[in-house]
Amino acid sequence: MSISTAYKYTCQFCNTVQGVFASLQIANKAVSAASRGDHQRAKAIILGNLM
């Protein structure tokens, strides 16, 4: 495996990890809103971040 290929795969992995953490943050905000009974806000958080 060349250095450039290893670098490419490392970048892809890092981007994937960042995407997972971003999704978890969004989900946590939605869960927090839903736990307060604000289901419309939770729905808006989820749907607003799907676009």
Side-chain angles (χ1 to χ4, degrees):
M1 180 184 302
S2 70
I3 297 295
S4 63
T5 302
Y7 180 78
K8 178 179 136 185
Y9 286 130
T10 301
C11 287
Q12 287 176 345
F13 176 75
C14 289
N15 288 335
T16 300
V17 169
Q18 286 177 327
V20 168
F21 280 118
S23 295
L24 290 173
Q25 286 178 324
I26 292 166
N28 191 38
K29 288 178 185 179
V31 166
S32 180
S35 70
R36 291 189 308 269
D38 193 355
H39 299 285
Q40 291 300 320
R41 175 74 179 135
K43 182 179 176 181
I45 290 169
I46 297 297
L47 294 178
N49 286 292
L50 291 176
M51 295 176 190

